[in-house]
Amino acid sequence: APSVLRHLDRRVPDDHDVVAVVLVHRPVEAVDHVDHPVEVPVEVAEEVRGLAAQAGEGPLHALVNNAGGAVVKPLGEIALSEWEGALAVGVTAPFLLTQALLPRLLVGSAVVNVLSIAARRGFASWTAYCTTKGALDGFSRALREELRPRGVRVINVYPAAVDTALWRAVPGSWDRRRMIAPGEVAEAVAYALSRPSGVAVETVEVGNISGTL
């Protein structure tokens, strides 16, 4: 997820501020320790308040919710702490950050939620991940209708597998050649944001031409 944001930074005009959820599961940050369980942020609300403070003051052109990390294991093996951690990072953090920054989103601005095809399709052993993406998808659809009268766009991006460090922590064998580069996701986000304020590109699905892994 952070690699997508680095690419996005290069594609957004300098006079536009973009904020992103950077809360990620620690195993994604430290992929050499993939045998450790996912660690939950002590206080998600405090983390989000810190992110909102980093955004400075004044109007925002866009808020990009792009949280990374995945709990991949059979349902019976998922610890409650892992489940709650996935929801905290994937659902609660975007909710809190969007709520905190909503007053700064004016006509023509946008909330971008980088989801996954897992928001629309189930995958065995990805129960926690599919749940968080599905929940954020529902949140986004409702928020879109709430903000439409204000002229604020809500854009959902649904990438297929993205070639990031996250996959080093995911059990199994994965063909990286069939994944898309983070820059491709960033390009999709940048395109949607670059449309005139009266044009809403509300859903974008991005994947490899070979299909889903």
Side-chain angles (χ1 to χ4, degrees):
S3 56
V4 172
L5 298 180
R6 284 197 294 272
H7 284 278
L8 181 59
D9 286 343
R10 304 189 190 108
R11 290 166 173 78
V12 176
D14 292 337
D15 59 344
H16 288 158
D17 291 325
V18 174
V19 180
V21 172
V22 294
L23 294 173
V24 295
H25 289 303
R26 288 178 186 155
V28 177
E29 297 175 337
V31 292
D32 292 336
H33 304 287
V34 297
D35 55 326
H36 291 182
V38 170
E39 295 182 300
V40 184
V42 177
E43 288 291 345
V44 172
E46 290 184 4
E47 297 273 0
V48 171
R49 277 194 289 269
L51 286 173
Q54 291 176 29
E57 300 178 354
L60 292 175
H61 174 63
L63 160 63
V64 181
N65 287 311
N66 185 51
V71 176
V72 183
K73 56 178 63 176
L75 180 64
E77 298 178 11
I78 300 175
L80 178 59
S81 61
E82 293 175 310
W83 179 263
E84 292 177 338
L87 291 173
V89 172
V91 183
T92 304
F95 155 72
L96 289 172
L97 190 59
T98 304
Q99 188 179 59
L101 297 176
L102 201 56
R104 297 172 57 187
L105 296 171
L106 308 180
V107 173
S109 63
V111 176
V112 181
N113 291 313
V114 180
L115 298 157
S116 164
I117 58 170
R120 297 173 163 178
R121 176 178 173 181
F123 296 91
S125 297
W126 290 74
T127 309
Y129 186 78
C130 290
T131 297
T132 61
K133 295 303 182 181
L136 188 58
D137 190 22
F139 168 81
S140 304
R141 293 172 186 271
L143 182 65
R144 178 180 296 133
E145 302 311 315
E146 183 175 329
L147 298 185
R148 196 184 297 280
R150 290 177 44 179
V152 177
R153 298 168 292 179
V154 177
I155 301 164
N156 285 7
V157 181
Y158 303 87
V162 182
D163 189 7
T164 67
L166 178 148
W167 291 95
R168 300 180 196 171
V170 177
S173 177
W174 307 97
D175 187 353
R176 296 292 189 97
R177 295 170 299 178
R178 296 183 59 198
M179 297 182 183
I180 57 175
E184 297 299 331
V185 182
E187 289 282 4
V189 173
Y191 173 79
L193 289 176
S194 69
R195 297 306 86 198
S197 60
V199 176
V201 179
E202 296 182 338
T203 61
V204 181
E205 188 164 327
V206 188
N208 190 288
I209 189 64
S210 65
T212 305
L213 287 178

